[in-house]
């Protein structure tokens, strides 16, 4: 299932949840049913906890600049390729040149807070996806 379909499914679930909550109260939306209301948060807690356990932070100068999703326990992470572009929107050149170490590295913070260096393995411009590899067998892949 691709990201667009997942996003649409979540939006539909949220809309159905809100519709049912409003209908049960005679058409009035209560504060606990707002976007960040207690009922809404409780309804999505399990999904949020699962996603959070698979989400890593990509760091630049110690600050989060993007998020990634663990796609395997052995350290592969998917993220948006455009997040890795420079200030001019240019993505890194992954072509190895004779005598050069052309590895593109990025700092990654795991859900446990561990900071590791990862290597950009590759990216696909059309789908705006990039794969980063870290040396860790402790990631929990998204389900």
């Amino acid at each position: 299932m691709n990201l667009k379909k997942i996003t649409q499914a979540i939006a539909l679930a949220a809309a159905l949840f809100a519709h049912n909550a409003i209908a049960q109260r005679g058409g009035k939306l209560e504060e606990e049913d707002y976007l960040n209301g207690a009922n809404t948060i409780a309804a999505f807690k399990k999904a949020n906890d699962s996603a959070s356990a698979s989400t890593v932070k990509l760091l630049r100068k110690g600050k989060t600049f993007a998020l990634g999703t663990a796609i395997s326990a052995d350290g592969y992470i998917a993220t948006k390729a455009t997040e890795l572009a420079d200030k001019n929107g240019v993505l890194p050149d992954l072509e190895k040149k004779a005598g050069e170490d052309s590895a593109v590295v990025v700092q990654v913070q795991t859900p446990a807070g561990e900071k590791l260096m990862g290597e950009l393995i590759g990216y696909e411009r059309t789908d705006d996806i990039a794969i980063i590899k870290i040396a860790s067998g402790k990631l929990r892949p998204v389900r």
Side-chain angles (χ1 to χ4, degrees):
M1 184 178 276
N2 68 28
L3 184 58
K4 184 175 181 180
K5 287 184 180 180
I6 292 170
T7 303
Q8 290 171 339
I10 291 170
L12 178 60
L16 290 172
F17 172 78
H19 179 268
N20 288 339
I22 293 168
Q24 290 173 358
R25 293 195 173 87
K28 183 179 179 205
L29 185 63
E30 300 293 331
E31 190 171 326
E32 62 266 14
D33 296 320
Y34 288 172
L35 178 63
N36 291 318
N39 289 343
T40 306
I41 291 171
F44 289 95
K45 183 172 180 6
K46 185 176 179 182
N48 183 57
D49 290 350
S50 177
S52 294
S54 301
T55 302
V56 300
K57 295 177 181 179
L58 305 182
L59 307 173
R60 185 178 290 139
K61 296 180 181 176
K63 300 211 185 267
T64 302
F65 73 91
L67 298 176
T69 302
I71 56 174
S72 72
D74 59 345
Y76 286 93
I77 298 163
T79 191
K80 287 181 62 174
T82 51
E83 296 291 349
L84 302 174
D86 66 16
K87 63 184 175 186
N88 297 316
V90 178
L91 288 165
D93 181 7
L94 297 178
E95 291 294 318
K96 294 209 183 249
K97 302 191 177 38
E100 283 185 22
D101 177 16
S102 63
V104 177
V105 295
V106 62
Q107 189 176 32
V108 176
Q109 183 174 342
T110 68
E114 183 179 14
K115 292 180 180 176
L116 303 165
M117 295 309 291
E119 180 178 353
L120 176 61
I121 301 298
Y123 55 83
E124 165 49 53
R125 292 176 193 270
T126 306
D127 295 319
D128 194 20
I129 191 163
I131 303 297
I132 296 170
K133 174 73 168 90
I134 61 172
S136 176
K138 301 176 185 177
L139 292 180
R140 182 171 144 193
V142 68
R143 296 183 247 165

